[in-house]
Amino acid sequence: MSLMGHFRFAATLLFGGMLAAVPTNWLHIALAGRTVHNSHYLAASFLYQLQTLLGTDASSPQVMQGRIIRRQGKELYIDLDQVPPERAAVLRQIAAQQQPAGEISLDEMGAYMAKRYYQLTRPYPTLQALLRDHPYRDNPNWLTVPVDSETFHRLRVLRINKDRIADALISYFDNNDRLIYPKGTVIAGRIL
């Protein structure tokens, strides 16, 4: 082997070994079926569920800010030191459902969230309270849209007040080309 070959081999071992070592307090996020075309969508689905688990109000730890999510190469990790201890324990519990225990999959997170989503978000205490404040059923002022939800792996029907959509579209350019609904917007969803 030439001197350049030895150098490349040594560099591969050195840098490859450095990439392989991750802190023990990092939990690997496994995205089964990930391809170059769906990688961002699967990651966004996981991060949405993680944010819901961590909390959805302004004082909750923010997944997309800070250092909760770490990247090493193409892999994503949750830095458990950056989340409240009780939530870190829940994440470890979810990850322990399947092997390897040091890895949390989108499927594991999805199964956990499917059972607890409403409890974690608590938008209204009952369906009747939601309907009283936001009468979306058979209401021509509300848009009904069927959505194939990768997050929950089933078809959902979403309903949103048309005025809220108009408000978001009008302020689209003011929000740096982002569709941001006004505070207090309700999007009602039902799984089919």
Side-chain angles (χ1 to χ4, degrees), residues 120-157:
L120 289 167
T121 57
R122 292 185 297 280
Y124 286 87
T126 65
L127 177 60
Q128 291 74 26
L130 171 66
L131 289 173
R132 185 176 48 253
D133 290 350
H134 304 282
Y136 62 82
R137 289 186 175 162
D138 302 319
N139 187 334
N141 295 322
W142 284 67
L143 180 66
T144 301
V145 182
V147 177
D148 188 12
S149 172
E150 181 63 29
T151 303
F152 297 102
H153 306 291
R154 51 183 67 103
L155 187 64
R156 300 182 82 193
V157 174

Side-chain angles (χ1 to χ4, degrees), residues 6-172:
H6 285 289
F7 177 74
R8 285 186 185 138
F9 180 72
T12 301
L13 285 177
L14 175 65
F15 292 114
M18 286 173 39
L19 289 176
V22 297
T24 57
N25 59 333
W26 286 15
L27 186 60
H28 181 243
I29 300 171
L31 303 172
R34 181 173 68 174
T35 68
V36 73
H37 302 290
N38 68 6
S39 182
H40 293 295
Y41 183 76
L42 294 175
S45 176
F46 185 92
L47 297 177
Y48 169 78
Q49 293 180 76
L50 178 61
Q51 183 63 66
T52 303
L53 178 69
L54 295 177
T56 56
D57 50 26
S59 63
S60 301
Q62 300 298 305
V63 170
M64 298 308 290
Q65 299 168 357
R67 301 187 57 85
I68 294 172
I69 298 299
R70 304 294 184 114
R71 176 182 294 275
Q72 192 163 53
K74 293 182 180 180
E75 300 303 318
L76 296 176
Y77 298 85
I78 302 169
D79 184 344
L80 295 174
D81 288 340
Q82 302 298 318
V83 299
E86 68 278 0
R87 292 300 179 197
V90 170
L91 290 166
R92 284 188 183 97
Q93 175 190 359
I94 295 169
Q97 294 175 15
Q98 297 174 2
Q99 292 299 322
E103 178 172 285
I104 186 167
S105 72
L106 180 57
D107 290 340
E108 287 173 308
M109 182 66 107
Y112 181 88
M113 293 302 291
K115 294 176 186 172
R116 295 166 181 87
Y117 183 80
Y118 191 86
Q119 173 192 358
L120 289 167
T121 57
R122 292 185 297 280
Y124 286 87
T126 65
L127 177 60
Q128 291 74 26
L130 171 66
L131 289 173
R132 185 176 48 253
D133 290 350
H134 304 282
Y136 62 82
R137 289 186 175 162
D138 302 319
N139 187 334
N141 295 322
W142 284 67
L143 180 66
T144 301
V145 182
V147 177
D148 188 12
S149 172
E150 181 63 29
T151 303
F152 297 102
H153 306 291
R154 51 183 67 103
L155 187 64
R156 300 182 82 193
V157 174
L158 300 181
R159 292 183 174 94
I160 183 170
N161 188 301
K162 290 178 183 176
D163 289 341
R164 299 295 70 79
I165 295 171
D167 293 341
L169 290 172
I170 288 169
S171 61
Y172 177 79

